[in-house]
Amino acid sequence: MGTNYGDWLKEQREVAGLTQQQLAEAAVMTRTHIAHIEAGRRVPSREDARRLDNVLNTGNVLSRFLPQGEAAVADYFEAARLLEQQAVMIREFALSFVPGILQTERYARAVLSTSFPPVSEEECDRLVVTRLERAKVLDDPVTPVVWALLDEAVLRRRIGGPGVMAEQLNHLVRLAETGRIQVHVLPFALGVHPLLSNMLTLMWFEDQPPVAYGEGLWMGRVHDSPSIVREIQHRYDFALGNALPLKESLALLRATARDCERHDRSSHTEHGSAGGVA
């Protein structure tokens, strides 16, 4: 088998003389999903892989060699990571940190290097690479649709220092200005809101029901019960209704980034002056 799962699937499909549409129909999937798998943008579920094996007469190769387990993520997040790569819509709520798929490299490194117990520099590098790989879902200009609902605390906590934070906030602004994502801020003035307990991700798919993922300290869980997902969606919608509109949210992001930039310049000036005196 080749080193690329998607390339090998495409090769077997062509050997079988099938178009993407024909394979999708035979395997009870969508053509778009097949295209994403072949391009390496998505990973099939275990059941999808089993059906592909059956249609292509490839034994259990596609099921057995699902590209998983190599990414450096917490065990409890692995299922959510795979779903994240297949989603056509993602709605994030962040309480403390910028959501993983929206993080810059320096911000991600600042978050991951301060874990406890401490990790080695090599392990931190692995974690950062995985986080940046997750962010590649944004390389497609259309799918998935991404909404980011941020508690104001995410903006105010200067992870990695003012320079790193300014870069991260400007990254969010650029993504929103190009229309790639929607960003809304829940201001401190709002007080209590229904999502204060933990971070949250809602995901929708082309060919399976929506799921929700919630995470707290050292724990995370994927919820696929329709009633639970609906309840979480209602909470998200309620909080979103009380968030700042996009225009005002971007204005707050820009203003906070400028504050960070001024603080960063001031800090460098002070250090330079001190060095000159010495």
PDB file of all heavy atoms in Angstrom, residues 201-232:
ATOM      1  N   THR A 201     -17.593  22.145  20.821  1.00  0.00           N
ATOM      2  CA  THR A 201     -17.569  22.112  19.363  1.00  0.00           C
ATOM      3  C   THR A 201     -18.800  21.362  18.871  1.00  0.00           C
ATOM      4  O   THR A 201     -19.090  20.268  19.349  1.00  0.00           O
ATOM      5  CB  THR A 201     -16.309  21.405  18.827  1.00  0.00           C
ATOM      6  OG1 THR A 201     -15.141  22.052  19.319  1.00  0.00           O
ATOM      7  CG2 THR A 201     -16.279  21.435  17.303  1.00  0.00           C
ATOM      8  N   LEU A 202     -19.512  21.960  17.922  1.00  0.00           N
ATOM      9  CA  LEU A 202     -20.634  21.307  17.250  1.00  0.00           C
ATOM     10  C   LEU A 202     -20.215  21.045  15.813  1.00  0.00           C
ATOM     11  O   LEU A 202     -19.623  21.920  15.158  1.00  0.00           O
ATOM     12  CB  LEU A 202     -21.877  22.192  17.279  1.00  0.00           C
ATOM     13  CG  LEU A 202     -22.591  22.303  18.626  1.00  0.00           C
ATOM     14  CD1 LEU A 202     -23.341  23.616  18.716  1.00  0.00           C
ATOM     15  CD2 LEU A 202     -23.559  21.136  18.811  1.00  0.00           C
ATOM     16  N   MET A 203     -20.517  19.839  15.298  1.00  0.00           N
ATOM     17  CA  MET A 203     -20.103  19.473  13.946  1.00  0.00           C
ATOM     18  C   MET A 203     -21.255  18.852  13.170  1.00  0.00           C
ATOM     19  O   MET A 203     -21.997  18.029  13.710  1.00  0.00           O
ATOM     20  CB  MET A 203     -18.922  18.498  13.999  1.00  0.00           C
ATOM     21  CG  MET A 203     -17.642  19.117  14.535  1.00  0.00           C
ATOM     22  SD  MET A 203     -16.269  17.931  14.697  1.00  0.00           S
ATOM     23  CE  MET A 203     -16.593  17.261  16.345  1.00  0.00           C
ATOM     24  N   TRP A 204     -21.371  19.259  11.902  1.00  0.00           N
ATOM     25  CA  TRP A 204     -22.372  18.696  10.989  1.00  0.00           C
ATOM     26  C   TRP A 204     -21.655  18.024   9.823  1.00  0.00           C
ATOM     27  O   TRP A 204     -20.539  18.433   9.452  1.00  0.00           O
ATOM     28  CB  TRP A 204     -23.284  19.797  10.444  1.00  0.00           C
ATOM     29  CG  TRP A 204     -24.302  20.286  11.414  1.00  0.00           C
ATOM     30  CD1 TRP A 204     -25.616  19.917  11.499  1.00  0.00           C
ATOM     31  CD2 TRP A 204     -24.116  21.249  12.462  1.00  0.00           C
ATOM     32  NE1 TRP A 204     -26.249  20.592  12.527  1.00  0.00           N
ATOM     33  CE2 TRP A 204     -25.343  21.414  13.133  1.00  0.00           C
ATOM     34  CE3 TRP A 204     -23.010  21.992  12.890  1.00  0.00           C
ATOM     35  CZ2 TRP A 204     -25.501  22.284  14.202  1.00  0.00           C
ATOM     36  CZ3 TRP A 204     -23.164  22.856  13.967  1.00  0.00           C
ATOM     37  CH2 TRP A 204     -24.400  23.002  14.598  1.00  0.00           C
ATOM     38  N   PHE A 205     -22.310  17.021   9.221  1.00  0.00           N
ATOM     39  CA  PHE A 205     -21.689  16.222   8.167  1.00  0.00           C
ATOM     40  C   PHE A 205     -22.644  16.038   6.998  1.00  0.00           C
ATOM     41  O   PHE A 205     -23.851  16.267   7.113  1.00  0.00           O
ATOM     42  CB  PHE A 205     -21.287  14.851   8.728  1.00  0.00           C
ATOM     43  CG  PHE A 205     -20.503  14.938   9.999  1.00  0.00           C
ATOM     44  CD1 PHE A 205     -21.157  14.944  11.237  1.00  0.00           C
ATOM     45  CD2 PHE A 205     -19.127  15.047   9.980  1.00  0.00           C
ATOM     46  CE1 PHE A 205     -20.445  15.050  12.416  1.00  0.00           C
ATOM     47  CE2 PHE A 205     -18.405  15.156  11.155  1.00  0.00           C
ATOM     48  CZ  PHE A 205     -19.061  15.161  12.387  1.00  0.00           C
ATOM     49  N   GLU A 206     -22.099  15.605   5.877  1.00  0.00           N
ATOM     50  CA  GLU A 206     -22.922  15.362   4.696  1.00  0.00           C
ATOM     51  C   GLU A 206     -23.781  14.113   4.849  1.00  0.00           C
ATOM     52  O   GLU A 206     -24.904  14.068   4.364  1.00  0.00           O
ATOM     53  CB  GLU A 206     -22.031  15.190   3.463  1.00  0.00           C
ATOM     54  CG  GLU A 206     -21.397  16.482   2.978  1.00  0.00           C
ATOM     55  CD  GLU A 206     -20.538  16.257   1.756  1.00  0.00           C
ATOM     56  OE1 GLU A 206     -20.055  15.112   1.577  1.00  0.00           O
ATOM     57  OE2 GLU A 206     -20.334  17.194   0.990  1.00  0.00           O
ATOM     58  N   ASP A 207     -23.214  13.087   5.484  1.00  0.00           N
ATOM     59  CA  ASP A 207     -23.868  11.778   5.446  1.00  0.00           C
ATOM     60  C   ASP A 207     -23.980  11.107   6.810  1.00  0.00           C
ATOM     61  O   ASP A 207     -24.024   9.888   6.908  1.00  0.00           O
ATOM     62  CB  ASP A 207     -23.119  10.861   4.472  1.00  0.00           C
ATOM     63  CG  ASP A 207     -21.609  10.881   4.702  1.00  0.00           C
ATOM     64  OD1 ASP A 207     -21.175  11.449   5.728  1.00  0.00           O
ATOM     65  OD2 ASP A 207     -20.874  10.340   3.862  1.00  0.00           O
ATOM     66  N   GLN A 208     -24.004  11.895   7.881  1.00  0.00           N
ATOM     67  CA  GLN A 208     -24.232  11.348   9.211  1.00  0.00           C
ATOM     68  C   GLN A 208     -24.789  12.450  10.114  1.00  0.00           C
ATOM     69  O   GLN A 208     -24.633  13.631   9.813  1.00  0.00           O
ATOM     70  CB  GLN A 208     -22.946  10.761   9.799  1.00  0.00           C
ATOM     71  CG  GLN A 208     -21.779  11.728   9.870  1.00  0.00           C
ATOM     72  CD  GLN A 208     -20.511  11.056  10.363  1.00  0.00           C
ATOM     73  OE1 GLN A 208     -20.492  10.444  11.430  1.00  0.00           O
ATOM     74  NE2 GLN A 208     -19.438  11.139   9.587  1.00  0.00           N
ATOM     75  N   PRO A 209     -25.447  12.074  11.202  1.00  0.00           N
ATOM     76  CA  PRO A 209     -26.062  13.073  12.087  1.00  0.00           C
ATOM     77  C   PRO A 209     -25.017  13.966  12.755  1.00  0.00           C
ATOM     78  O   PRO A 209     -23.845  13.578  12.875  1.00  0.00           O
ATOM     79  CB  PRO A 209     -26.799  12.208  13.128  1.00  0.00           C
ATOM     80  CG  PRO A 209     -26.945  10.869  12.498  1.00  0.00           C
ATOM     81  CD  PRO A 209     -25.746  10.689  11.626  1.00  0.00           C
ATOM     82  N   PRO A 210     -25.417  15.145  13.201  1.00  0.00           N
ATOM     83  CA  PRO A 210     -24.478  16.050  13.877  1.00  0.00           C
ATOM     84  C   PRO A 210     -24.043  15.496  15.235  1.00  0.00           C
ATOM     85  O   PRO A 210     -24.731  14.680  15.841  1.00  0.00           O
ATOM     86  CB  PRO A 210     -25.280  17.340  14.044  1.00  0.00           C
ATOM     87  CG  PRO A 210     -26.704  16.909  14.023  1.00  0.00           C
ATOM     88  CD  PRO A 210     -26.762  15.740  13.095  1.00  0.00           C
ATOM     89  N   VAL A 211     -22.882  15.956  15.688  1.00  0.00           N
ATOM     90  CA  VAL A 211     -22.363  15.560  16.999  1.00  0.00           C
ATOM     91  C   VAL A 211     -21.881  16.807  17.723  1.00  0.00           C
ATOM     92  O   VAL A 211     -21.685  17.867  17.121  1.00  0.00           O
ATOM     93  CB  VAL A 211     -21.203  14.543  16.892  1.00  0.00           C
ATOM     94  CG1 VAL A 211     -21.640  13.278  16.165  1.00  0.00           C
ATOM     95  CG2 VAL A 211     -19.989  15.176  16.212  1.00  0.00           C
ATOM     96  N   ALA A 212     -21.684  16.662  19.026  1.00  0.00           N
ATOM     97  CA  ALA A 212     -21.123  17.736  19.839  1.00  0.00           C
ATOM     98  C   ALA A 212     -19.937  17.178  20.615  1.00  0.00           C
ATOM     99  O   ALA A 212     -19.928  15.995  20.996  1.00  0.00           O
ATOM    100  CB  ALA A 212     -22.165  18.291  20.810  1.00  0.00           C
ATOM    101  N   TYR A 213     -18.942  18.006  20.820  1.00  0.00           N
ATOM    102  CA  TYR A 213     -17.777  17.604  21.613  1.00  0.00           C
ATOM    103  C   TYR A 213     -17.562  18.642  22.699  1.00  0.00           C
ATOM    104  O   TYR A 213     -17.479  19.845  22.429  1.00  0.00           O
ATOM    105  CB  TYR A 213     -16.528  17.503  20.736  1.00  0.00           C
ATOM    106  CG  TYR A 213     -15.255  17.254  21.524  1.00  0.00           C
ATOM    107  CD1 TYR A 213     -14.997  16.002  22.078  1.00  0.00           C
ATOM    108  CD2 TYR A 213     -14.336  18.278  21.743  1.00  0.00           C
ATOM    109  CE1 TYR A 213     -13.836  15.778  22.811  1.00  0.00           C
ATOM    110  CE2 TYR A 213     -13.173  18.059  22.472  1.00  0.00           C
ATOM    111  CZ  TYR A 213     -12.931  16.810  23.001  1.00  0.00           C
ATOM    112  OH  TYR A 213     -11.796  16.592  23.748  1.00  0.00           O
ATOM    113  N   GLY A 214     -17.491  18.184  23.942  1.00  0.00           N
ATOM    114  CA  GLY A 214     -17.230  19.073  25.067  1.00  0.00           C
ATOM    115  C   GLY A 214     -15.944  18.670  25.750  1.00  0.00           C
ATOM    116  O   GLY A 214     -15.619  17.478  25.826  1.00  0.00           O
ATOM    117  N   GLU A 215     -15.199  19.651  26.248  1.00  0.00           N
ATOM    118  CA  GLU A 215     -13.916  19.337  26.874  1.00  0.00           C
ATOM    119  C   GLU A 215     -13.696  20.186  28.112  1.00  0.00           C
ATOM    120  O   GLU A 215     -13.996  21.385  28.130  1.00  0.00           O
ATOM    121  CB  GLU A 215     -12.778  19.560  25.878  1.00  0.00           C
ATOM    122  CG  GLU A 215     -11.404  19.168  26.425  1.00  0.00           C
ATOM    123  CD  GLU A 215     -10.323  19.269  25.360  1.00  0.00           C
ATOM    124  OE1 GLU A 215     -10.480  18.622  24.301  1.00  0.00           O
ATOM    125  OE2 GLU A 215      -9.353  20.020  25.565  1.00  0.00           O
ATOM    126  N   GLY A 216     -13.165  19.531  29.140  1.00  0.00           N
ATOM    127  CA  GLY A 216     -12.755  20.202  30.364  1.00  0.00           C
ATOM    128  C   GLY A 216     -11.332  19.785  30.681  1.00  0.00           C
ATOM    129  O   GLY A 216     -10.609  19.280  29.821  1.00  0.00           O
ATOM    130  N   LEU A 217     -10.904  19.943  31.919  1.00  0.00           N
ATOM    131  CA  LEU A 217      -9.549  19.604  32.311  1.00  0.00           C
ATOM    132  C   LEU A 217      -9.338  18.096  32.269  1.00  0.00           C
ATOM    133  O   LEU A 217      -9.988  17.341  32.997  1.00  0.00           O
ATOM    134  CB  LEU A 217      -9.275  20.135  33.729  1.00  0.00           C
ATOM    135  CG  LEU A 217      -7.851  19.953  34.265  1.00  0.00           C
ATOM    136  CD1 LEU A 217      -6.862  20.717  33.378  1.00  0.00           C
ATOM    137  CD2 LEU A 217      -7.762  20.442  35.704  1.00  0.00           C
ATOM    138  N   TRP A 218      -8.430  17.634  31.378  1.00  0.00           N
ATOM    139  CA  TRP A 218      -8.076  16.218  31.246  1.00  0.00           C
ATOM    140  C   TRP A 218      -9.252  15.330  30.864  1.00  0.00           C
ATOM    141  O   TRP A 218      -9.245  14.136  31.142  1.00  0.00           O
ATOM    142  CB  TRP A 218      -7.434  15.678  32.537  1.00  0.00           C
ATOM    143  CG  TRP A 218      -6.185  16.380  32.928  1.00  0.00           C
ATOM    144  CD1 TRP A 218      -5.989  17.141  34.044  1.00  0.00           C
ATOM    145  CD2 TRP A 218      -4.959  16.438  32.193  1.00  0.00           C
ATOM    146  NE1 TRP A 218      -4.732  17.667  34.046  1.00  0.00           N
ATOM    147  CE2 TRP A 218      -4.068  17.243  32.925  1.00  0.00           C
ATOM    148  CE3 TRP A 218      -4.532  15.886  30.985  1.00  0.00           C
ATOM    149  CZ2 TRP A 218      -2.769  17.504  32.491  1.00  0.00           C
ATOM    150  CZ3 TRP A 218      -3.236  16.151  30.544  1.00  0.00           C
ATOM    151  CH2 TRP A 218      -2.375  16.944  31.297  1.00  0.00           C
ATOM    152  N   MET A 219     -10.263  15.878  30.266  1.00  0.00           N
ATOM    153  CA  MET A 219     -11.379  15.037  29.853  1.00  0.00           C
ATOM    154  C   MET A 219     -12.087  15.661  28.667  1.00  0.00           C
ATOM    155  O   MET A 219     -12.081  16.877  28.482  1.00  0.00           O
ATOM    156  CB  MET A 219     -12.371  14.835  31.006  1.00  0.00           C
ATOM    157  CG  MET A 219     -13.047  16.101  31.495  1.00  0.00           C
ATOM    158  SD  MET A 219     -14.110  15.824  32.930  1.00  0.00           S
ATOM    159  CE  MET A 219     -12.860  15.430  34.171  1.00  0.00           C
ATOM    160  N   GLY A 220     -12.658  14.821  27.838  1.00  0.00           N
ATOM    161  CA  GLY A 220     -13.422  15.279  26.693  1.00  0.00           C
ATOM    162  C   GLY A 220     -14.354  14.176  26.258  1.00  0.00           C
ATOM    163  O   GLY A 220     -14.086  12.989  26.487  1.00  0.00           O
ATOM    164  N   ARG A 221     -15.458  14.544  25.629  1.00  0.00           N
ATOM    165  CA  ARG A 221     -16.422  13.537  25.234  1.00  0.00           C
ATOM    166  C   ARG A 221     -17.184  13.970  23.983  1.00  0.00           C
ATOM    167  O   ARG A 221     -17.588  15.115  23.866  1.00  0.00           O
ATOM    168  CB  ARG A 221     -17.420  13.286  26.364  1.00  0.00           C
ATOM    169  CG  ARG A 221     -18.451  12.210  26.037  1.00  0.00           C
ATOM    170  CD  ARG A 221     -19.377  11.959  27.197  1.00  0.00           C
ATOM    171  NE  ARG A 221     -20.383  10.963  26.855  1.00  0.00           N
ATOM    172  CZ  ARG A 221     -21.357  10.563  27.680  1.00  0.00           C
ATOM    173  NH1 ARG A 221     -21.435  11.095  28.892  1.00  0.00           N
ATOM    174  NH2 ARG A 221     -22.231   9.665  27.286  1.00  0.00           N
ATOM    175  N   VAL A 222     -17.344  13.006  23.063  1.00  0.00           N
ATOM    176  CA  VAL A 222     -18.177  13.221  21.885  1.00  0.00           C
ATOM    177  C   VAL A 222     -19.602  12.792  22.225  1.00  0.00           C
ATOM    178  O   VAL A 222     -19.823  11.680  22.718  1.00  0.00           O
ATOM    179  CB  VAL A 222     -17.668  12.410  20.681  1.00  0.00           C
ATOM    180  CG1 VAL A 222     -18.657  12.502  19.516  1.00  0.00           C
ATOM    181  CG2 VAL A 222     -16.293  12.904  20.242  1.00  0.00           C
ATOM    182  N   HIS A 223     -20.562  13.667  21.977  1.00  0.00           N
ATOM    183  CA  HIS A 223     -21.976  13.356  22.208  1.00  0.00           C
ATOM    184  C   HIS A 223     -22.653  13.169  20.856  1.00  0.00           C
ATOM    185  O   HIS A 223     -22.623  14.063  20.014  1.00  0.00           O
ATOM    186  CB  HIS A 223     -22.668  14.495  22.966  1.00  0.00           C
ATOM    187  CG  HIS A 223     -22.091  14.776  24.315  1.00  0.00           C
ATOM    188  ND1 HIS A 223     -22.419  14.043  25.427  1.00  0.00           N
ATOM    189  CD2 HIS A 223     -21.201  15.717  24.729  1.00  0.00           C
ATOM    190  CE1 HIS A 223     -21.767  14.509  26.469  1.00  0.00           C
ATOM    191  NE2 HIS A 223     -21.016  15.527  26.077  1.00  0.00           N
ATOM    192  N   ASP A 224     -23.279  11.995  20.660  1.00  0.00           N
ATOM    193  CA  ASP A 224     -24.008  11.775  19.414  1.00  0.00           C
ATOM    194  C   ASP A 224     -25.494  11.510  19.649  1.00  0.00           C
ATOM    195  O   ASP A 224     -26.244  11.271  18.703  1.00  0.00           O
ATOM    196  CB  ASP A 224     -23.396  10.635  18.605  1.00  0.00           C
ATOM    197  CG  ASP A 224     -23.299   9.336  19.384  1.00  0.00           C
ATOM    198  OD1 ASP A 224     -23.866   9.254  20.494  1.00  0.00           O
ATOM    199  OD2 ASP A 224     -22.668   8.392  18.872  1.00  0.00           O
ATOM    200  N   SER A 225     -25.938  11.553  20.900  1.00  0.00           N
ATOM    201  CA  SER A 225     -27.353  11.408  21.197  1.00  0.00           C
ATOM    202  C   SER A 225     -28.105  12.614  20.633  1.00  0.00           C
ATOM    203  O   SER A 225     -27.764  13.764  20.960  1.00  0.00           O
ATOM    204  CB  SER A 225     -27.583  11.327  22.707  1.00  0.00           C
ATOM    205  OG  SER A 225     -28.946  11.530  23.021  1.00  0.00           O
ATOM    206  N   PRO A 226     -29.098  12.406  19.768  1.00  0.00           N
ATOM    207  CA  PRO A 226     -29.818  13.537  19.167  1.00  0.00           C
ATOM    208  C   PRO A 226     -30.372  14.520  20.189  1.00  0.00           C
ATOM    209  O   PRO A 226     -30.312  15.737  19.988  1.00  0.00           O
ATOM    210  CB  PRO A 226     -30.947  12.862  18.383  1.00  0.00           C
ATOM    211  CG  PRO A 226     -30.410  11.514  18.039  1.00  0.00           C
ATOM    212  CD  PRO A 226     -29.587  11.113  19.226  1.00  0.00           C
ATOM    213  N   SER A 227     -30.905  14.009  21.306  1.00  0.00           N
ATOM    214  CA  SER A 227     -31.486  14.911  22.307  1.00  0.00           C
ATOM    215  C   SER A 227     -30.418  15.767  22.972  1.00  0.00           C
ATOM    216  O   SER A 227     -30.629  16.960  23.226  1.00  0.00           O
ATOM    217  CB  SER A 227     -32.247  14.103  23.365  1.00  0.00           C
ATOM    218  OG  SER A 227     -31.382  13.215  24.047  1.00  0.00           O
ATOM    219  N   ILE A 228     -29.244  15.183  23.253  1.00  0.00           N
ATOM    220  CA  ILE A 228     -28.157  15.944  23.879  1.00  0.00           C
ATOM    221  C   ILE A 228     -27.597  16.972  22.904  1.00  0.00           C
ATOM    222  O   ILE A 228     -27.347  18.127  23.271  1.00  0.00           O
ATOM    223  CB  ILE A 228     -27.050  14.998  24.369  1.00  0.00           C
ATOM    224  CG1 ILE A 228     -27.563  14.130  25.521  1.00  0.00           C
ATOM    225  CG2 ILE A 228     -25.820  15.782  24.810  1.00  0.00           C
ATOM    226  CD1 ILE A 228     -26.572  13.110  26.025  1.00  0.00           C
ATOM    227  N   VAL A 229     -27.411  16.563  21.652  1.00  0.00           N
ATOM    228  CA  VAL A 229     -26.889  17.498  20.647  1.00  0.00           C
ATOM    229  C   VAL A 229     -27.846  18.671  20.469  1.00  0.00           C
ATOM    230  O   VAL A 229     -27.426  19.831  20.372  1.00  0.00           O
ATOM    231  CB  VAL A 229     -26.643  16.783  19.310  1.00  0.00           C
ATOM    232  CG1 VAL A 229     -26.248  17.788  18.225  1.00  0.00           C
ATOM    233  CG2 VAL A 229     -25.543  15.727  19.451  1.00  0.00           C
ATOM    234  N   ARG A 230     -29.146  18.401  20.440  1.00  0.00           N
ATOM    235  CA  ARG A 230     -30.129  19.488  20.314  1.00  0.00           C
ATOM    236  C   ARG A 230     -30.054  20.442  21.495  1.00  0.00           C
ATOM    237  O   ARG A 230     -30.125  21.666  21.333  1.00  0.00           O
ATOM    238  CB  ARG A 230     -31.542  18.911  20.202  1.00  0.00           C
ATOM    239  CG  ARG A 230     -31.927  18.437  18.813  1.00  0.00           C
ATOM    240  CD  ARG A 230     -33.440  18.249  18.702  1.00  0.00           C
ATOM    241  NE  ARG A 230     -33.961  17.306  19.692  1.00  0.00           N
ATOM    242  CZ  ARG A 230     -34.046  15.997  19.494  1.00  0.00           C
ATOM    243  NH1 ARG A 230     -33.628  15.468  18.351  1.00  0.00           N
ATOM    244  NH2 ARG A 230     -34.541  15.208  20.435  1.00  0.00           N
ATOM    245  N   GLU A 231     -29.931  19.893  22.707  1.00  0.00           N
ATOM    246  CA  GLU A 231     -29.848  20.733  23.901  1.00  0.00           C
ATOM    247  C   GLU A 231     -28.618  21.633  23.852  1.00  0.00           C
ATOM    248  O   GLU A 231     -28.679  22.832  24.169  1.00  0.00           O
ATOM    249  CB  GLU A 231     -29.796  19.851  25.153  1.00  0.00           C
ATOM    250  CG  GLU A 231     -29.545  20.602  26.458  1.00  0.00           C
ATOM    251  CD  GLU A 231     -30.634  21.595  26.804  1.00  0.00           C
ATOM    252  OE1 GLU A 231     -31.792  21.407  26.358  1.00  0.00           O
ATOM    253  OE2 GLU A 231     -30.331  22.572  27.521  1.00  0.00           O
ATOM    254  N   ILE A 232     -27.496  21.058  23.436  1.00  0.00           N
ATOM    255  CA  ILE A 232     -26.265  21.843  23.333  1.00  0.00           C
ATOM    256  C   ILE A 232     -26.413  22.913  22.247  1.00  0.00           C
ATOM    257  O   ILE A 232     -25.974  24.055  22.411  1.00  0.00           O
ATOM    258  CB  ILE A 232     -25.067  20.924  23.045  1.00  0.00           C
ATOM    259  CG1 ILE A 232     -24.808  20.020  24.262  1.00  0.00           C
ATOM    260  CG2 ILE A 232     -23.819  21.733  22.724  1.00  0.00           C
ATOM    261  CD1 ILE A 232     -23.764  18.952  24.036  1.00  0.00           C
TER     262      ILE A 232
END
